[in-house]
Amino acid sequence: MAAVEPTQFAYRAQKEMGVWNAPPKSAARALESARQEARALKYSPDGQLLAWATTEHVQVVDAQTLAPVATIAQRGVLDVQFSPRSTYVVTWERFSKPDNEAAGNLGVWEARTGMRRGGFVHRQFAEDALQWTDDEQFCAKLFPNEVRFYVPGALEKAAQTLRVDGVSSFSVSPGRAPSVAVFVPERGSKPGLVRMYPVGSFARPTANKTFFKADKVDFYWHSLGTSLLVLTQTDVDKTGRSYYGESSLYFMAAAGNFDCRVVLDRDGPIHDVAWSPTEKEFAVVYGFMPAKAALFNHRAEPVFDLGTAPRNMVRFNPHGRVLVLAGFGNLSGTVDLWDRKRLSKICSVDAHGSSLCSWSPDGRYLLAATLSPRLRVDNGIRIWHYSGALVFHQPIDELYHVEWRPAPAAAFPQRASLSPLPPGIEIRAASTSASRPAAAYRPPHARNRAAEDSPRSLSDIAERKAFSPARAVPGAAPAPV
């Protein structure tokens, strides 16, 4: 494999797109078609190719040199994905009769020639609409009551079909011996179920798990494909304790010799789940806010309590040595970095307003980005070394997408101790939650008033309360006179 810059990443904004080599060397390169509006941007899994879609076509380039490799003459593409070995490009555009009825709006193309190999009709967008085995021997797609498996070179007819009445979603595992997990929601008095089959042998399932309170599920496979975590969710919490419905977590072994419910000692929703990339252990963030985070072993037994805080996301770095606990969305954006080996917190950084958080392939840098349309102000990219030093900050108007260029973790050997900050790197002012004082809340109607119109001290506030008439609370007893 050709040498890969460990910290290269690509970004897509409303008026520009390009790649950065940063850090420790920061340099930007604009893509040739940056003047056109880009709808999608994606690296291939091996990091050798980069593809983007404009209103006119899909362009595939060499990720290192940005030299053109292939052009796919397909207009209106809104999403681009690669197959696991980067042999094929999968494109999706909005379905519209009769334009997409015959050829299909989900197209499969050869990545290095731009030749179309086939297509399917897929009306609703989904990144996993077409799923692949790691060896690209099969690709699979969901149809009513069945999952069809195709040989990529012959997409006109399914090579194998897995029939399961009522199946609503499925997931193909990674690994050398892939399995497929299918989910059937509960109906009436019948519980929901997840079944696992070896790909290519659908006579009988190797694992089977039933459960109630399951309208939909998320599948989390271990990188070897030997274990599966199933996060079940309901749209409504019948107890009325949560606006987001009820959730539970189940562990299943692909061999069928072990399964269980992951017992969580805190009530509330399950916010996030992540497998360690190097060990058979996983982390879960769960419970009403402030949420709890914990590590579990391969038997779904708790091994370490990571504490309680307003957090809703967890990520291991590619070596499994450092993990991130973060609170995004309607939370403050504080990010905690933990040393997994020593089971101690390294530091905390402030990534307020972020929509995305991901590790660099070398496992040393954490990228957070504020994206549109969730937030249309303060869009940009920030990168921290895992020591907590802010080493990169680039504001970008109307930023839509950022992703690292993939590279194998084995290309960056892990030392016995965490690597120090590289010498000579530019260190920007650290932005931590502790260094940013929290401003007092002011209601919207009072935010433009002069400073003298608002109380200046606690004594001022107490004095105003003393001379302000008490508000009557509907249904409450009248205040004493």
Side-chain angles (χ1 to χ4, degrees):
M1 181 182 292
V4 177
E5 286 289 342
T7 56
Q8 185 189 107
F9 62 87
Y11 70 92
R12 176 177 66 91
Q14 174 69 23
K15 298 180 181 179
E16 61 176 306
M17 59 179 174
V19 298
W20 276 85
N21 291 332
K25 298 179 180 179
S26 300
R29 290 184 290 172
L31 299 178
E32 292 182 0
S33 58
R35 291 170 294 180
Q36 301 184 39
E37 180 183 356
R39 306 292 185 86
L41 183 71
K42 190 68 177 179
Y43 278 110
S44 63
D46 61 6
Q48 299 303 300
L49 300 176
L50 174 64
W52 65 84
T54 69
T55 54
E56 301 297 326
H57 63 267
V58 175
Q59 183 67 56
V60 181
V61 302
D62 182 281
Q64 181 66 29
T65 65
L66 302 184
V69 173
T71 300
I72 298 173
Q74 184 72 14
R75 304 184 63 179
V77 171
L78 298 178
D79 185 64
V80 176
Q81 301 290 332
F82 280 91
S83 60
R85 293 189 174 182
S86 311
T87 308
Y88 302 97
V89 173
V90 180
T91 62
W92 182 88
E93 63 264 12
R94 287 192 179 93
F95 177 80
S96 59
K97 291 184 177 181
D99 298 342
N100 304 126
E101 189 67 46
N105 62 317
L106 186 72
V108 181
W109 316 76
E110 290 185 0
R112 295 188 176 274
T113 66
M115 181 183 298
R116 186 180 179 95
R117 304 301 300 181
F120 305 90
V121 172
H122 196 84
R123 288 174 171 79
Q124 299 295 325
F125 167 72
E127 289 187 358
D128 59 352
L130 198 64
Q131 299 186 35
W132 302 75
T133 57
D134 277 357
D135 59 6
E136 295 185 358
Q137 184 177 355
F138 295 103
C139 59
K141 188 178 183 303
L142 180 67
F143 289 86
N145 298 317
E146 60 188 30
V147 180
R148 298 178 188 174
F149 288 79
Y150 298 84
V151 175
L155 298 177
E156 299 81 11
K157 184 179 179 180
Q160 301 181 42
T161 300
L162 170 60
R163 285 197 54 83
V164 180
D165 290 340
V167 58
S168 65
S169 61
F170 78 103
S171 179
V172 176
S173 77
R176 296 182 179 181
S179 300
V180 56
V182 294
F183 168 66
V184 178
E186 63 174 313
R187 291 177 293 181
S189 60
K190 294 184 178 181
L193 62 89
V194 168
R195 289 177 181 164
M196 273 195 277
Y197 299 83
V199 171
S201 178
F202 304 137
R204 55 183 300 179
T206 56
N208 187 79
K209 186 69 177 176
T210 60
F211 28 67
F212 286 97
K213 299 181 180 180
D215 297 327
K216 56 185 178 181
V217 301
D218 291 321
F219 296 105
Y220 297 88
W221 289 98
H222 187 268
S223 59
L224 298 177
T226 55
S227 303
L228 173 66
L229 292 170
V230 181
L231 175 59
T232 66
Q233 295 176 299
T234 61
D235 295 327
V236 178
D237 184 354
K238 295 181 180 179
T239 66
R241 293 185 298 172
S242 174
Y243 175 80
Y244 300 101
E246 296 179 81
S247 55
S248 298
L249 188 64
Y250 297 87
F251 180 99
M252 299 178 67
N257 55 359
F258 179 74
D259 65 74
C260 69
R261 178 172 179 171
V262 180
V263 179
L264 304 175
D265 59 358
R266 190 179 181 91
D267 292 334
I270 298 172
H271 304 284
D272 199 15
V273 179
W275 280 100
S276 168
T278 56
E279 304 292 338
K280 284 193 175 181
E281 66 177 17
F282 57 93
V284 187
V285 183
Y286 59 96
F288 294 112
M289 290 295 166
K292 181 177 179 179
L295 286 171
F296 295 80
N297 63 18
H298 67 286
R299 305 296 288 183
E301 300 166 336
V303 295
F304 187 74
D305 184 347
L306 292 164
T308 301
R311 307 288 183 263
N312 58 7
M313 191 207 77
V314 58
R315 295 286 186 275
F316 286 88
N317 79 341
H319 297 89
R321 175 64 189 271
V322 184
L323 64 91
V324 157
L325 289 171
F328 293 144
N330 59 352
L331 300 179
S332 63
T334 301
V335 177
D336 299 328
L337 291 95
W338 284 75
D339 184 337
R340 170 60 188 91
K341 184 177 180 179
R342 298 183 178 182
L343 292 175
S344 61
K345 188 165 76 170
I346 302 170
C347 64
S348 294
V349 299
D350 183 4
H352 61 278
S354 297
S355 314
L356 174 149
C357 182
S358 62
W359 283 102
S360 62
D362 64 357
R364 293 176 174 87
Y365 299 97
L366 181 71
L367 180 149
T370 302
L371 305 178
S372 291
R374 182 183 174 274
L375 287 177
R376 296 191 179 275
V377 296
D378 298 329
N379 283 191
I381 303 166
R382 286 170 289 178
I383 299 177
W384 290 267
H385 185 263
Y386 53 38
S387 63
L390 181 65
V391 296
F392 182 88
H393 181 209
Q394 181 64 41
I396 301 175
D397 291 337
E398 294 190 71
L399 178 65
Y400 289 116
H401 179 69
V402 185
E403 69 173 85
W404 293 101
R405 181 184 178 189
F412 312 102
Q414 182 70 33
R415 301 178 181 177
S417 59
L418 295 178
S419 303
L421 197 66
I425 191 171
E426 179 183 359
I427 303 177
R428 298 175 183 268
S431 176
T432 64
S433 55
S435 64
R436 189 167 59 97
Y441 173 77
R442 300 184 70 191
H445 69 274
R447 290 173 184 171
N448 294 325
R449 292 183 180 179
E452 58 268 15
D453 290 341
S454 55
R456 298 181 181 179
S457 66
L458 293 176
S459 60
D460 292 333
I461 296 174
E463 183 178 354
R464 290 195 178 192
K465 285 185 176 180
F467 290 93
S468 299
R471 293 186 178 182
V473 180
V481 179

